[in-house]
Amino acid sequence: DVTRNSVVFDSSNFKTQREAVTGKRMANEAVKYVWEGAIPLQINLHKSEVASHPAPPPALVLAPRIGYLPLLIPLIKPYFKDSLPPGEDSIWFDYKGVPLKWYIPTGVLFDLLCAEPERPWNLTIHFRGYPTNILIPCEGEDSVKWNFVNSLKEAQYIINGNCKNVMNMSQSDQEDLWTSVMNGDLDAYTRLSPKLKMATIEDEFSRKASLSSPQSRQGVTETDGAGQNKTARIPVRLYVRSINQNFENLEDVPEMDTWDDISYLNRPVEFLREEGKCFTLRNAIESLLPEFIGDRAQTSGEERSKDGGTEEAEAEGLPEMGEIKLARIQGIEMKLEIPFSWVVNNLMNPEFYLHISVLVKAPQR
């Protein structure tokens, strides 16, 4: 399973030192899994553009999760070249009639559009009729690279309060960083990314492991976190699909018809740590989606009912509690109680954004 989207990570069983060490090992492997993750694609030429007989069979491609669809064009275009009608190419992809936004990483598109993973993922490629009313223009690799670097600047501004380290990066280093992402070269990326000097947050799994050892229990207060450069703001791109009907299984989730079905939130998460509490993935998502926080909705309902009763609250459109049905990151169906610090340190994309796809059962009104 090259997409690894059947993996479920649960922090609730980490109770012993041995389990904590196992968790640390898994954390180290997670970054490698992110970079090696790939999705098998079956790409068909749209029937209106077939100018040969017989029609060409579909192209089969293994697409990196952290990559972008336009970067596959040099592989795909020669395959369909002899079947295309004359005219100027304007290449784009769709899935079941929905044009795919080229600036969203391929793995995120897959997680968003396939609630129940489809393997291979059947896409359609177009060489004509670019939908400019839906997609912004794409000039191939140059556009994708510009999008990546711009996202890198945004992420550094959120994390560090400025983007000077990206701006001051030499042209050759910036080019090599981009090449490492295109080629899925984690070793090269690991050598270059420290030059960005991104602030980090302490991994609560690692911290828990170190505090549980007898050698580290003494004098914790003096050494805990010493010398750590921590950030309180995490760049997050949250993609929320709200479903009105009830569903128990992912195969029952209706297909997405348009991008209007997706709410796109590009907001930082304020990382909060309280003594004796773990800031979880649920805390992070709910901080971005306050309308789905049950306590807040319930409190509002109680206040309204005191003033005018339940009927008045319903008449004013007060939402009941919504429900997060699924959170998926890098193809992994996440347990919501996992420490957010682990997610950030291990499942971020190379541009230092954390992409989270969420399915929610919409609150009833």
Side-chain angles (χ1 to χ4, degrees):
D1 183 357
V2 290
T3 62
R4 306 190 183 278
N5 52 6
S6 60
V7 177
V8 178
F9 197 95
D10 186 355
S11 64
S12 60
N13 295 325
F14 280 70
K15 297 179 181 177
T16 67
Q17 173 65 11
R18 170 182 257 178
E19 289 170 329
V21 171
T22 302
K24 187 175 182 180
R25 179 179 59 80
M26 291 179 68
N28 293 335
E29 292 177 351
V31 176
K32 183 180 177 183
Y33 287 160
V34 167
W35 278 72
E36 292 181 350
I39 301 167
L41 305 182
Q42 180 169 287
I43 301 177
N44 296 275
L45 178 62
H46 193 267
K47 59 183 180 181
S48 68
E49 299 177 26
V50 175
S52 65
H53 185 77
L60 302 176
V61 179
L62 198 58
R65 272 192 154 270
I66 62 173
Y68 301 83
L69 288 176
L71 300 181
L72 301 175
I73 290 174
L75 292 174
I76 301 170
K77 185 177 177 180
Y79 182 83
F80 291 117
K81 181 179 65 174
D82 295 334
S83 299
L84 295 175
E88 185 175 351
D89 295 336
S90 54
I91 304 175
W92 55 287
F93 298 83
D94 84 62
Y95 174 61
K96 296 186 176 180
V98 179
L100 299 181
K101 297 189 175 184
W102 57 265
Y103 48 86
I104 297 178
T106 305
V108 179
L109 289 171
F110 182 68
D111 293 344
L112 268 176
L113 276 68
C114 295
E116 177 67 21
E118 175 184 304
R119 304 183 191 88
W121 192 22
N122 285 276
L123 304 183
T124 300
I125 190 170
H126 302 253
F127 289 81
R128 307 288 184 270
Y130 195 89
T132 53
N133 60 322
I134 299 175
L135 303 180
I136 62 175
C138 178
E139 303 297 331
E141 183 189 331
D142 288 342
S143 292
V144 181
K145 179 184 175 183
W146 176 89
N147 174 72
F148 174 83
V149 174
N150 194 54
S151 295
L152 196 61
K153 292 176 183 176
E154 290 179 4
Q156 184 162 82
Y157 187 85
I158 291 170
I159 294 172
N160 290 356
N162 62 71
C163 56
K164 63 181 182 180
N165 291 331
V166 178
M167 302 292 289
N168 294 337
M169 203 175 198
S170 70
Q171 191 65 36
S172 61
D173 281 346
Q174 196 175 108
E175 194 69 38
D176 289 345
L177 186 71
W178 168 241
T179 301
S180 72
V181 174
M182 276 205 309
N183 296 337
D185 188 346
L186 177 58
D187 291 337
Y189 178 85
T190 303
R191 288 194 304 271
L192 291 161
S193 58
K195 295 184 179 183
L196 298 171
K197 299 178 181 177
M198 294 285 196
T200 60
I201 60 173
E202 185 182 23
D203 189 334
E204 293 186 64
F205 274 158
S206 302
R207 180 174 179 271
K208 191 177 295 185
S210 64
L211 295 183
S212 63
S213 63
Q215 295 87 347
S216 65
R217 286 175 188 157
Q218 194 170 13
V220 164
T221 54
E222 290 84 0
T223 60
D224 185 24
Q228 293 284 333
N229 187 19
K230 302 184 181 69
T231 182
R233 287 161 59 83
I234 307 301
V236 171
R237 286 180 176 156
L238 185 68
Y239 310 82
V240 184
R241 188 169 174 211
S242 184
I243 307 294
N244 290 318
Q245 63 194 61
N246 287 315
F247 62 92
E248 294 299 326
N249 302 308
L250 293 179
E251 58 263 29
D252 298 327
V253 175
E255 293 178 4
M256 193 182 92
D257 296 324
T258 71
W259 282 102
D260 293 337
D261 296 339
I262 300 290
S263 297
Y264 172 81
L265 303 176
N266 190 17
R267 300 175 184 167
V269 167
E270 301 290 340
F271 186 88
L272 304 175
R273 177 173 290 163
E274 297 181 37
E275 189 65 31
K277 291 186 179 180
C278 177
F279 188 76
T280 66
L281 177 61
R282 181 188 299 277
N283 297 143
I285 293 175
E286 290 184 346
S287 73
L288 299 175
L289 293 175
E291 62 269 33
F292 289 97
I293 299 177
D295 291 341
R296 184 174 300 180
Q298 186 176 2
T299 300
S300 301
E302 289 171 355
E303 291 173 353
R304 296 260 189 118
S305 62
K306 288 177 183 177
D307 295 334
T310 304
E311 293 81 3
E312 183 179 342
E314 291 177 351
E316 294 181 14
L318 178 67
E320 297 176 3
M321 183 175 63
E323 181 185 359
I324 300 172
K325 301 288 285 187
L326 172 68
R328 189 175 279 163
I329 306 173
Q330 301 292 0
I332 304 171
E333 296 176 15
M334 306 297 298
K335 295 288 186 179
L336 294 178
E337 305 314 318
I338 188 171
F340 187 60
S341 58
W342 189 94
V343 176
V344 171
N345 288 326
N346 295 281
L347 301 182
M348 267 190 168
N349 270 55
E351 82 285 15
F352 286 88
Y353 263 96
L354 183 66
H355 297 261
I356 308 176
S357 302
V358 178
L359 264 179
V360 297
K361 172 64 175 65
Q364 300 301 308
R365 295 185 178 277

